[in-house]
Amino acid sequence: MRKPFISANWKMNKTVDETEEFINSFIPMVKDITDVEVLIAPPFTSLQAASRILKTTNIKLGAQNIFYEEKGAFTGEISPAMLLSAGCSCVIIGHSERRQYFMETDEIVNKKIKTARKNGLEVILCIGESLKEREENKTFEVLNGQLTGSLKDISLEGITIAYEPVWAIGTGKTATKEQANEAHEYIRKWLVKNKEGADKLRILYGGSVTPDNTEALMSEPEVDGALVGGASLKPDSFAQIVKNAGEKIRVNNRRMSV
Ligand code: PGA
């Protein structure tokens, strides 16, 4: 069984002090949970402070973006080496907010993934359809296009996919567990057909995940975890999501021991 993976995406929230405060109270809340992989992706400015505190824990540190060149005259951009030296092991690429506000195309996403992987960073690749696309029954077509473009000439090692329907992000409108599983199933089938090692890759759901809906979403066979925005900003709510995600493993273990 794939280990559940819960990632916090803080977006443009939290100063250095707020980051330290969050992490210091979060660590004791999840210290006994070993069956869930946890990642926090704060803003760039908080990475180093977060890394210092997280060093002695199993909690991973990620960034929310990266540039596809490795160094040079690219004012305002951040390279893989910078992320690694700040303590990151992972980077979120292709989030719908970056596609929408910063004009990131699948081609740019593809270049970013290549540079990240070349430098040993793990990647969470975000894909998902808009409300209009869903209403026009184009969900699978959109996912196919994003997967084809973003993963061109890329092997699946070190990659996690986050299915984030744009209409569910920050809206309080979560996809039903059936809708999530259906999209995840499509993604899994696409990967099995087009790439090696698709069975090991984890597919996270993202979009208005809360402590209250985590267990139901995670009860679906193809939902391996969550990418959490709003509900990851408070230590107790994020810790509860992590705990609830672990229930998937506990239920499975109980089933196996019967
Ligand atoms: P949300 O954001 O949980 O606030 O909907 C999820 C995301 O954008 O990754």
Side-chain angles (χ1 to χ4, degrees):
M1 190 180 183
R2 295 177 289 265
K3 188 172 184 175
F5 183 15
I6 300 293
S7 172
N9 172 15
W10 284 358
K11 311 190 178 184
M12 199 174 71
N13 292 292
K14 295 198 191 294
T15 61
V16 173
D17 287 350
E18 288 163 350
T19 299
E20 288 173 341
E21 199 183 317
F22 176 106
I23 294 177
N24 283 325
S25 43
F26 179 69
I27 290 173
M29 294 178 186
V30 294
K31 71 173 184 339
D32 297 326
I33 303 172
T34 52
D35 45 15
V36 179
E37 197 170 313
V38 182
L39 180 137
I40 296 177
F44 289 134
T45 44
S46 288
L47 287 174
Q48 212 181 353
S51 162
R52 269 190 222 114
I53 314 176
L54 292 177
K55 217 176 264 170
T56 54
T57 73
N58 290 327
I59 301 166
K60 292 180 158 187
L61 184 64
Q64 299 170 22
N65 187 24
I66 189 171
F67 194 49
Y68 52 75
E69 294 292 344
E70 297 193 31
K71 67 194 299 189
F74 303 102
T75 301
E77 292 297 331
I78 302 284
S79 74
M82 291 169 190
L83 295 184
L84 288 164
S85 73
C88 284
S89 59
C90 183
V91 57
I92 298 170
I93 297 181
H95 191 279
S96 64
E97 286 149 17
R98 297 220 51 91
R99 293 175 189 262
Q100 185 181 345
Y101 303 123
F102 304 97
M103 312 309 148
E104 277 190 19
T105 60
D106 289 325
E107 197 185 340
I108 293 173
V109 168
N110 179 258
K111 281 159 81 171
K112 289 186 171 192
I113 299 175
K114 281 182 180 152
T115 309
R117 290 300 303 136
K118 182 174 160 218
N119 286 277
L121 284 160
E122 288 176 17
V123 167
I124 298 177
L125 162 65
C126 302
I127 56 174
E129 81 287 0
S130 67
L131 183 59
K132 185 166 176 286
E133 288 161 341
R134 176 162 281 266
E135 284 172 350
E136 289 171 359
N137 279 325
K138 289 192 178 143
T139 299
F140 295 159
E141 193 183 312
V142 170
L143 295 178
N144 175 46
Q146 290 174 335
L147 288 164
T148 306
S150 307
L151 291 176
K152 185 164 182 281
D153 302 324
I154 290 173
S155 74
L156 296 184
E157 204 193 328
I159 310 254
T160 295
I161 290 181
Y163 167 64
E164 299 207 306
V166 179
W167 48 272
I169 295 178
T171 57
K173 222 176 147 188
T174 328
T176 63
K177 61 191 178 79
E178 292 81 11
Q179 282 172 324
N181 198 62
E182 186 189 35
H184 286 215
E185 242 173 29
Y186 174 84
I187 294 167
R188 179 82 57 202
K189 282 191 189 138
W190 188 96
L191 295 170
V192 168
K193 190 166 155 220
N194 293 287
K195 304 273 174 187
E196 298 278 315
D199 52 328
K200 288 199 207 82
L201 178 142
R202 284 174 296 190
I203 306 176
L204 317 182
Y205 167 78
S208 298
V209 172
T210 65
D212 294 337
N213 59 28
T214 307
E215 240 182 277
L217 286 161
M218 294 286 298
S219 70
E220 291 294 320
E222 286 297 348
V223 180
D224 301 316
L227 181 56
V228 190
S232 73
L233 294 171
K234 293 216 168 73
D236 49 351
S237 101
F238 190 50
Q240 194 59 48
I241 290 173
V242 172
K243 280 182 202 150
N244 294 356
E247 191 52 24
K248 180 163 191 156
I249 289 282
R250 282 163 235 141
V251 167
N252 188 58
N253 289 347
R254 280 198 292 274
R255 222 178 266 144
M256 307 260 284
S257 65
V258 175

